[in-house]
Amino acid sequence: MKGLTSDYQLTLPAMLRRAEALYGPKEIVTRRPDKSFHRYTYADFVRRAKKLAVALGELGLEKSDRVATLAWNNHQHLEAYFGVPCAGLVLHTINPRLSADDLAYIIDHAGDRVLLIDETMVKLLASFRDRVDLDHIYVLSADGSAPEGLESYEELLSGADEERFEYPDFAEDDAAAMCYTSGTTGRPKGALYSHRAICLHSMASAMTDMLGIAERDVVMPIVPMFHVNAWGLPFTSTLVGAKQVLPGPHLDPESLLENLANEKVTITAGVPTIFFGILNKLDENPGAYQLSSLRAMIIGGSAAPEGMIRAFAERHGLHVLHAWGMTETTPLGSVCHVSSQLDDAPEDERYRVRAKQGIPGAFIEVRARGDEGFAAWDGESMGELEVRGPWVSGAYFNTEEGTDKFTEDGWFRTGDIVTIDENGYVEIQDRTKDLIKSGGEWISSVALENSLMSHDAVAEAAVIAVPEEQWGERPLGVVVLKEGAETTEEDLISHLAAHHPKWSLPDAIEFVDEIPHTATGKALKMALRERYKDYTPAER
Ligand code: ADP
């Protein structure tokens, strides 16, 4: 027998309708490129999201066609978050920090038809525009203008009549948004989120034991809206009607601290590198910023070090909430609150727990697959973390690559090596992915190795992550030269600079006689990581 509950579909139009009905006067604030503030209300936001949906509907696109964005966190990007899916199209957020090759590949592979691009990113276009086939490129600018040859987003909106918008009835499993992961060995792969996944992710994120976001909150996502939907915060905030503060392109500690203080932000979120900068600034000027409203700084994307969690608490009375997630998990998987079982634990123990990646969110299930079956939940046995749940990907978009990430019984293999303790706290120990995470952005070690090995003097190269305080990890090149060949660190790094973004270049190259190998002849990265774990270039 089926239940007789109505089959109300969980969709973004329903979320927008709720915001329109209930939160009209609430504020949304954006820091513009010139640092001035743009302020409007949810009512304005809904009106403009509807206009966008109407305008996109008149472009002759087909259902589920992709509309890409290359933009910072601002109100126009937020309009796209809703206007695109409410037009029956798929919002495809793209990371502007990728190389031109990856940008061209992703836009082409996703089949993007329209691109909305931030005025501050227009210069990127030159590097890939002739390699992609887009029907329209609209520029999101503060004054509504667009450079020659491009169309204006503001003009697109001004030509649309929001009265023509009708809330559509989509199936909740229709695609709403997509985001590409960084390639490990292969190309980037697309995670495609359904309306239902985003709605459930938003509801669960708002739970007290997850991010605990409510109408009274003032939420400032520092994590870019091109990183897995800014961890879903624009959706979650809109669902509950929280005031939103969007920092635009200004991610320097001073601007962020000004926003936190002036807008009385209660919840903010970003990668450890950002908070490292904020911590330094606060240490330099204790008491300079009035942060008494701030009740949680959600840190994720890379491990939040225990020292940082302590420093914020002890020196500034600020609370870090450590969270773990992935592009394939929309992204929130686990959040680290100290549970009541630990009420009597000593303070040191509580800090140690808070540096773990936390307990899985509601309906997210975890298990760790070890060499001999699933690892016990004893806080010591290690295995690769597998997850399943209503907002975990079941496949990648339009590719056979990566199908081995999805198990036959419906779990996703994360590539994170973890322990799980008796209370269900997950702690990441290592990573199977051949990637380096620097300041929240991935660097492909394989791509750097291939480029190094294309240099005449190089016989073999391995690139590994070495821990670094500010960036979390930085790439180190380990190189074996061909017999009799000579080259320098500077030469190899400038060789790499021809094909890789500057921020992704190794800080140093170590020349060695031999690189250790696994039985199958691959570089034994684990051994190299161990050898260089305390490495700093200055020590050479
Ligand atoms: P995002 O855009 O959120 O960084 P990705 O899919 O690119 O998402 O990266 C996910 C990976 O980042 C995880 O598999 C894990 O390796 C790493 N990661 C995310 N959060 C944490 C965390 N809190 N601690 C350690 N590593 C993390």
Side-chain angles (χ1 to χ4, degrees), residues 181-182 227-228 231 271 299-304 322-328 331 357 414-416 428 431 433 437 440 442:
T181 67
S182 304
H227 270 178
V228 220
W231 301 348
V271 295
I299 304 189
S302 296
H322 194 192
W324 170 90
M326 305 181 69
T327 305
E328 293 90 335
Q357 279 65 28
T414 65
D416 289 331
I428 297 188
R431 204 184 270 149
K433 300 169 245 196
K437 204 163 204 187
W442 289 115

Side-chain angles (χ1 to χ4, degrees), residues 111-158:
D112 295 334
R113 307 263 28 99
V114 175
L115 171 65
L116 308 178
I117 187 166
D118 205 286
E119 59 183 323
T120 61
M121 296 179 189
V122 164
K123 53 187 177 299
L124 283 179
L125 275 176
S127 66
F128 65 83
R129 192 173 177 180
D130 57 356
R131 288 193 265 169
V132 297
D133 176 24
L134 289 159
D135 300 345
H136 294 278
I137 304 178
Y138 296 102
V139 179
L140 313 178
S141 60
D143 66 3
S145 66
E148 216 177 299
L150 301 175
E151 299 170 82
S152 155
Y153 172 81
E154 289 301 325
E155 272 175 33
L156 175 73
L157 255 56
S158 65

